[in-house]
Amino acid sequence: GGMAAAERAVALDPDLADGRAVRALLLSQRGEGDEAKREIEIALRLEPDSHSVQRAAARLYFVLQDIAEAIPHFAKAVALEEQDFACAGMLVTCYTAIGDHEAARQAAQVTLARTEKILANDRNNGDALGHGSDALAVLGQSERAKAWMNRALLIDPDNMNMRYNFACCLAVHLKDTDAAIEMLAPVIARSSRSNINSAKIDPDFDTIRDDPRFVAMIADAEAALAAIGE
């Protein structure tokens, strides 16, 4: 899973912040949260103004369910890279999770502006459509959000990252449990263990986490991975 390469890179250059950031994320996937946090703090000290390091720190703390700690790192990543709509979209998730709806709206405005700029040049960008539709829903433009989803699914129906984002939007902002479950099912069926673990803790799925269909799809996916030794 890349750990050997990350450790080799750090061994060759202990001051390589990106190498330590990658190692931190991989450690978190192995359940070694404390060691992952120590590694990301070293990376942040080495290169506090690195977009990739700030993004990695944000992802790490999000996976560790420390939303309060993830927020400033997502915000720094957004400030460091004006085309980064994904971290802006993750800020929407984080602020929604802690109940700061005004901050979520502000993050949604940034997300929408950035995705619209991307889509002006690449109208079929599934990732931009995924985060953009979520932003539209937060901003009260639910019909436009659904139109973006429908268009994107016609263009790129096998984009699982995009489907995951649509499921988040349907679950938490559009309050459509049935549609969220239907959207998420093929994603979970094809996911790696780390992605399944992410779905299990993603606050966007809090509204459907106890739904028997969600529980069953997670159990089936984990059983399939276990059967092949993953």
Side-chain angles (χ1 to χ4, degrees), residues 190-194 196-197 221-230:
R190 301 185 193 185
S191 284
S192 65
R193 185 165 299 280
S194 63
I196 291 169
N197 288 340
E222 291 183 324
L225 289 175
I228 59 174
E230 291 188 12

Side-chain angles (χ1 to χ4, degrees), residues 121-187:
N121 296 313
D122 179 11
R123 66 188 304 270
N124 297 333
N125 188 307
D127 289 335
L129 287 165
H131 284 286
S133 63
D134 190 65
L136 286 167
V138 173
L139 296 171
Q141 301 182 47
S142 59
E143 293 306 313
R144 191 179 174 203
K146 292 176 185 177
W148 278 34
M149 289 184 197
N150 291 334
R151 173 180 141 205
L153 290 169
L154 287 172
I155 294 167
D156 193 6
D158 294 323
N159 186 326
M160 295 298 111
N161 186 57
M162 180 183 75
R163 279 183 171 273
Y164 184 99
N165 287 329
F166 288 162
C168 289
C169 177
L170 289 163
V172 70
H173 299 305
L174 297 180
K175 311 297 185 187
D176 190 336
T177 296
D178 291 342
I181 293 289
E182 182 179 353
M183 188 72 70
L184 189 61
V187 181

Side-chain angles (χ1 to χ4, degrees), residues 172-220:
V172 70
H173 299 305
L174 297 180
K175 311 297 185 187
D176 190 336
T177 296
D178 291 342
I181 293 289
E182 182 179 353
M183 188 72 70
L184 189 61
V187 181
I188 296 301
R190 301 185 193 185
S191 284
S192 65
R193 185 165 299 280
S194 63
N195 288 339
I196 291 169
N197 288 340
S198 294
K200 287 165 68 175
I201 58 92
D202 193 324
D204 281 347
F205 296 139
D206 285 352
T207 60
I208 65 172
R209 197 168 315 285
D210 295 329
D211 188 291
R213 293 168 294 177
F214 181 89
V215 174
M217 75 169 70
I218 294 292
D220 289 346

Side-chain angles (χ1 to χ4, degrees), residues 79-140:
L80 286 168
E81 174 52 68
E82 64 180 15
Q83 293 186 329
D84 186 348
F85 59 81
C87 283
M90 288 303 298
L91 277 176
V92 175
T93 294
C94 290
Y95 285 128
T96 300
I98 65 172
D100 191 339
H101 300 297
E102 180 53 35
R105 282 184 58 83
Q106 292 174 8
Q109 289 170 343
V110 173
T111 304
L112 182 59
R114 292 187 176 190
T115 55
E116 286 181 325
K117 186 176 291 186
I118 295 292
L119 292 167
N121 296 313
D122 179 11
R123 66 188 304 270
N124 297 333
N125 188 307
D127 289 335
L129 287 165
H131 284 286
S133 63
D134 190 65
L136 286 167
V138 173
L139 296 171

